[in-house]
Amino acid sequence: MTEPTDDIELDFSGEKQAATMTAAQAAPRMRELADNLERWNYEYYVLDRPSVPDAEYDRCFNELAALEARFPELKSPASPTLRVGGAVRSDLSKVIHARPMLSIHTETDFSSEGAYAFDRRVRNELGLSDDAPAVRYDCEMKFDGLATNLRYEKGILVQAATRGDGTTGEDVTANVRTIRTIPLRLEGDVPDVLEVRGEVIMHREDFEALNCRQSEEGQKTFVNPRNAAAGSLRQLDPAVTARRTLHFYAYALGEVSDPAFALTQSGMLDRLEKLGFPVAKERRTVEGPAGLAAFHDEIEAARPSLPFDIDGVVYKVDSFAEQNELGFIAREPRWACAHKYPPEEALTVCEAIDIQVGRTGKLTPVARLKPVFVGGVTVSNATLHNEDHISGLDLRAGDTVVVRRAGDVIPEVVRVLHERRPEHAEPFVMPAVCPVCGSATIRDEEEKDTRCTGGLFCPSQMKLSIVHFASRRAMGIDGLGEKIVNMLVDEGLLKSPADIFKLSHKDLTDVLNSTADTEKPQKRMGPKAAQNLLDSIEKARHTTFSRFIFALGCRHVGEATALSLAQHFGTLSELENADEEALIQVEDVGGVIAQSIRAFFSEPHNRRVIEELVAAGVEWPAVEPKTSSQSAVAGKTFVLTGTLPTLSRDQAKDMLIAAGAKVSGSVSRKTDFVVAGAEAGSKLEKAQTLGITIIGEEELRTMLAGETASAESVSENEAEAPAQGALF
Ligand code: IVH
């Protein structure tokens, strides 16, 4: 057995030795420790490839700190112990930059024209004729943080300063030393004076974590990662900066004692990277403006998946000789240009929180915003999802908010500036009754959603409910799509699905022609089309019990559940009066579905609509209750693709569902069989890749027939027996 004290002995051995060392012994040891610590730091933070356990790092760190405490005169200005902070200051002193820190001309045309305009200016200034070769450019990202100058003398970081006004910045040396990816000492062949410029930024993930911590501790939160980076870098106590994770990306030089340090921008970045500076890998040299525009597009596509915010890209003439020739105009170089993207975040005011009611009755709170240009469009609404989302944001009407729209993503309120909250802003409360129809609302604790129980009676749900009711796989009324339903509802001719059966020929032709788009006469409904619609309404009166249940649009009741319910209960009154306990007995019906069915039939409006439908002559043949639906295909998942020789896709689907199978629209590992017909495309390919059994119509028929005819499986026959017995 090992003595447990061994580890402890090991941990403190360095520090113990430090206590007995002479200065002559300490100096080389301190240098060795510092070198190791810095190498491990680089491997860990820059390369993401740690080579020693954290405990070993800590042991060496403690030993070095102990030696520095005993021999302060031997402490290096590049010591890794500086990375955890240092003395607190009363203010940040001023630094005059050896070379001014310039700004860049911004191309505000977000389209590729911005790239072409820059190239035209460069060619013009360089006096290049139209047939002269394309200019070579270095393309980089435009980081959204704080420009910072790092000054190295004889390879040691001696000063770091913010850009300030470009001439004078603030001394943030102690804070910058805490940024783990910034080298404190440079190895190898380095100019005596080397100023490296780049951006100090905060990654989005670290920003979220920081804001979380800040609000937990009752401290102020930051509006965006840029502000958080600025606040963290300009701290008087470097230990605070050390606790915030900041990053640095190099992109330019300041004063350099060696004029031949690099000949091109891209070569310079390569060299900085070799010296251990973080340089973003998203950079490229291109020829001519098409290459610039392609880079702009490519980075725009990558933008949402980057760990940090950027607000554009930067183009730079690659050759330093050409840069010198181009020179500056005011304080902007003619050889560089920032080509922006539409901003993804903007500040605005949430003027109100409204409620929208969807088809299934979900109440969705929506922020009505003071219109703001963000992500390339004007945004005036943003979804707030549900009650918990609002309390998570702590949002009230009147608040100033940050709205984000990245790529094609739906606009979102991402933050609230609580310090700007108006005095009498009231907390949001989810309404207890539906704001559209006045029915009671219920909150689904599991899904955190609030729903209107009004069902078919609620006008908001009505249009979409009627469309669903009429849809092909429900009542199957051909020609009664969303457009016509909307018109008929708006004209007051449809107030519930039962009204469909009261429509006259005159209703259809009059209303639809008076409200139809006169620009598009083909959209009008002629007498023939009206008659066709009436015919299909008439046909739909004779339906099946399962289609009728599905058509009612009760939440969670899809086609398969509707079929199970029809077979289990057999009659409408049995179903209407079934309690949750009885409902749970039905195959595939769990607690959530049972509750939803119960809630649907408990709503008097829904009962009334059903009565009206029955009174309008909607009918179906009696269904004998089926106790089980075991068959060769029961419980299996099928995907239909391509054109089958004789069966339509709908017929095949009906047959499968009736036999207890599930029919899905897309192929996944959960698919059991793919039924493929002529011209089957990507679904077939995917099934082949995943090794899923592929069958044709004939095999499908055999499998379905096996349900009743095959004697091969005893269990199948046994299972089918009661149903058959009941049917005949
Ligand atoms: S080069 C003379 N490269 O943009 C040009 N700047 O408006 C020196 N910035 O203050 C700057 N990313 O904060 C350069 N890849 C990049 C950049 C970049 C962001 C910022 C920088 C500067 C501002 C210029």
Side-chain angles (χ1 to χ4, degrees):
M1 279 257 288
T2 345
E3 285 293 321
T5 48
D6 277 6
D7 282 349
I8 298 166
E9 187 65 27
L10 234 182
D11 256 344
F12 290 101
S13 60
E15 282 174 74
K16 274 192 179 166
Q17 275 171 10
T20 56
M21 270 186 187
T22 63
Q25 290 168 317
R29 176 67 183 155
M30 285 167 80
R31 177 70 203 236
E32 185 191 352
L33 287 167
D35 283 354
N36 282 343
L37 286 165
E38 272 309 273
R39 195 176 63 254
W40 296 335
N41 178 75
Y42 178 74
E43 288 166 349
Y44 187 97
Y45 289 99
V46 181
L47 303 182
D48 235 347
R49 222 168 39 216
S51 68
V52 290
D54 290 358
E56 177 64 2
Y57 183 96
D58 293 345
R59 193 187 63 76
C60 290
F61 188 95
N62 291 339
E63 185 185 339
L64 179 60
L67 285 168
E68 285 176 349
R70 270 199 69 207
F71 307 107
E73 70 283 3
L74 296 180
K75 179 168 175 169
S76 157
S79 170
T81 58
L82 295 168
R83 291 203 183 275
V84 291
V88 178
R89 286 144 303 167
S90 56
D91 62 355
L92 298 175
S93 49
K94 299 275 176 265
V95 171
I96 297 175
H97 297 299
R99 300 264 184 284
M101 291 183 78
L102 304 162
S103 52
I104 326 182
H105 173 78
T106 300
E107 195 53 67
T108 46
D109 188 331
F110 301 137
S111 76
S112 61
E113 176 47 32
Y116 284 86
F118 172 60
D119 179 65
R120 275 197 299 275
R121 282 200 307 275
V122 167
R123 293 184 70 89
N124 191 28
E125 292 291 336
L126 288 174
L128 295 175
S129 61
D130 287 351
D131 50 3
V135 175
R136 195 175 169 81
Y137 295 104
D138 171 74
C139 306
E140 299 164 20
M141 295 187 288
K142 186 170 192 304
F143 304 96
D144 200 8
L146 268 90
T148 304
N149 184 71
L150 311 178
R151 185 176 173 91
Y152 291 81
E153 290 178 4
K154 298 202 183 319
I156 289 175
L157 174 66
V158 292
Q159 189 181 65
T162 59
R163 177 173 182 270
D165 63 6
T167 308
T168 311
E170 283 172 324
D171 187 329
V172 286
T173 314
N175 300 345
V176 158
R177 284 192 181 117
T178 71
I179 301 176
R180 297 289 176 148
T181 57
I182 292 182
L184 299 178
R185 175 199 297 277
L186 306 174
E187 301 294 337
D189 178 21
V190 211
D192 276 356
V193 174
L194 173 66
E195 288 189 355
V196 175
R197 291 175 176 177
E199 205 89 343
V200 170
I201 62 167
M202 189 177 279
H203 285 189
R204 278 197 286 266
E205 197 181 74
D206 297 316
F207 162 73
E208 304 292 347
L210 170 62
N211 262 357
C212 227
R213 255 188 357 245
Q214 291 286 105
S215 55
E216 265 169 28
E217 292 165 11
Q219 305 282 329
K220 84 169 182 107
T221 54
F222 297 94
V223 178
N224 55 36
R226 204 197 102 85
N227 283 23
S232 305
L233 187 64
R234 299 178 60 250
Q235 281 288 330
L236 295 174
D237 180 359
V240 174
T241 314
R243 284 197 296 272
R244 315 254 179 100
T245 312
L246 293 172
H247 288 261
F248 174 84
Y249 291 95
Y251 52 63
L253 296 177
E255 183 185 355
V256 183
S257 54
D258 175 8
F261 181 75
L263 301 176
T264 59
Q265 171 72 16
S266 53
M268 182 266 285
L269 292 179
D270 291 344
R271 187 144 184 215
L272 290 183
E273 200 169 5
K274 283 205 192 81
L275 284 173
F277 288 95
V279 177
K281 65 179 192 318
E282 289 84 358
R283 63 182 169 107
R284 176 148 330 130
T285 51
V286 301
E287 314 273 337
L292 298 176
F295 184 77
H296 187 260
D297 286 353
E298 192 187 317
I299 298 297
E300 185 165 20
R303 194 180 180 197
S305 51
L306 291 171
F308 46 75
D309 285 352
I310 55 165
D311 55 355
V313 289
V314 178
Y315 309 137
K316 297 171 185 175
V317 170
D318 198 37
S319 148
F320 284 167
E322 280 177 340
Q323 285 190 6
N324 286 335
E325 201 180 327
L326 285 157
F328 298 85
I329 179 164
R331 288 169 73 82
E332 292 173 355
R334 283 200 191 86
W335 45 263
C337 137
H339 193 183
K340 295 250 204 162
Y341 296 124
E344 287 184 324
E345 287 191 358
L347 271 192
T348 189
V349 173
C350 169
E351 293 177 327
I353 299 175
D354 286 352
I355 302 288
Q356 265 176 8
V357 185
R359 174 176 94 75
T360 56
K362 183 183 167 208
L363 269 65
T364 306
V366 177
R368 300 287 175 220
L369 306 169
K370 197 156 168 256
V372 62
F373 189 72
V374 58
V377 297
T378 301
V379 169
S380 44
N381 301 310
T383 176
L384 295 169
H385 306 288
N386 55 37
E387 201 176 4
D388 289 14
H389 189 77
I390 298 180
S391 46
L393 285 167
D394 183 13
L395 170 69
R396 299 181 183 187
D399 275 340
T400 298
V401 295
V402 178
V403 178
R404 182 177 176 85
R405 183 185 179 271
D408 292 334
V409 179
I410 300 165
E412 268 214 293
V413 171
V414 285
R415 278 187 294 288
V416 176
L417 272 65
H418 295 116
E419 61 278 16
R420 298 208 199 166
R421 171 167 288 167
E423 232 172 78
H424 301 292
E426 293 287 332
F428 170 80
V429 209
M430 205 62 165
V433 293
C434 170
V436 180
C437 73
S439 304
T441 62
I442 47 164
R443 189 180 140 107
D444 179 335
E445 279 309 322
E446 206 167 310
E447 295 183 17
K448 317 240 176 287
D449 288 338
T450 304
R451 290 177 187 275
C452 161
T453 52
L456 300 177
F457 170 80
C458 176
S460 262
Q461 296 175 65
M462 195 207 299
K463 283 182 183 171
L464 289 164
S465 300
I466 294 176
V467 172
H468 168 76
F469 180 85
S471 66
R472 209 164 37 100
R473 302 204 53 87
M475 297 298 279
I477 306 176
D478 284 345
L480 198 57
E482 199 172 329
K483 268 196 191 140
I484 294 181
V485 169
N486 284 350
M487 282 193 248
L488 292 168
V489 171
D490 290 343
E491 288 303 310
L493 282 164
L494 286 186
K495 290 201 186 67
S496 93
D499 292 339
I500 295 173
F501 299 96
K502 297 176 192 153
L503 290 170
S504 70
H505 193 270
K506 192 169 174 329
D507 286 342
L508 291 174
T509 46
D510 280 5
V511 168
L512 296 177
N513 287 343
S514 68
T515 53
D517 189 344
T518 45
E519 301 280 298
K520 294 180 189 148
Q522 73 274 19
K523 295 271 182 228
R524 288 161 170 249
M525 182 169 275
K528 186 139 184 280
Q531 192 51 52
N532 285 346
L533 179 52
L534 286 176
D535 288 349
S536 61
I537 291 173
E538 190 49 39
K539 225 168 81 193
R541 240 188 259 273
H542 313 285
T543 184
T544 65
F545 188 27
S546 63
R547 273 180 176 261
F548 181 76
I549 299 172
F550 175 56
L552 293 175
C554 171
R555 203 163 157 257
H556 297 307
V557 178
E559 283 182 85
T561 309
L563 183 75
S564 301
L565 290 168
Q567 287 176 338
H568 187 94
F569 292 105
T571 67
L572 183 58
S573 63
E574 287 283 329
L575 172 61
E576 281 181 321
N577 299 319
D579 58 15
E580 277 182 39
E581 217 173 299
L583 287 162
I584 286 172
Q585 305 304 315
V586 181
E587 206 173 69
D588 288 339
V589 172
V592 174
I593 307 183
Q595 220 176 7
S596 154
I597 299 171
R598 203 52 252 136
F600 182 87
F601 289 112
S602 307
E603 185 57 59
H605 310 307
N606 292 342
R607 298 287 272 250
R608 199 175 322 132
V609 170
I610 293 169
E611 271 168 34
E612 282 173 25
L613 283 166
V614 174
V618 175
E619 53 161 31
W620 52 87
V623 184
E624 291 298 329
K626 197 175 177 185
T627 50
S628 161
S629 63
Q630 293 300 308
S631 77
V633 302
K636 299 277 190 293
T637 301
F638 285 73
V639 172
L640 302 163
T641 178
T643 314
L644 300 177
T646 68
L647 288 174
S648 74
R649 186 112 32 117
D650 261 355
Q651 283 169 323
K653 189 172 175 185
D654 279 339
M655 287 161 79
L656 280 165
I657 288 177
K662 294 193 183 87
V663 180
S664 161
S666 58
V667 177
S668 74
R669 286 186 198 283
K670 290 193 188 136
T671 310
D672 295 300
F673 298 97
V674 167
V675 186
E679 283 166 55
S682 60
K683 288 184 194 172
L684 178 59
E685 264 171 47
K686 189 161 179 202
Q688 282 161 339
T689 322
L690 294 176
I692 289 160
T693 312
I694 296 155
I695 58 170
E697 180 178 319
E698 206 170 315
E699 285 155 296
L700 174 65
R701 283 184 183 278
T702 314
M703 283 176 86
L704 287 165
E707 177 197 351
T708 50
S710 160
E712 268 168 28
S713 153
V714 176
S715 62
E716 267 175 28
N717 273 350
E718 274 174 0
E720 276 310 310
Q724 283 185 16
L727 279 169
F728 297 104

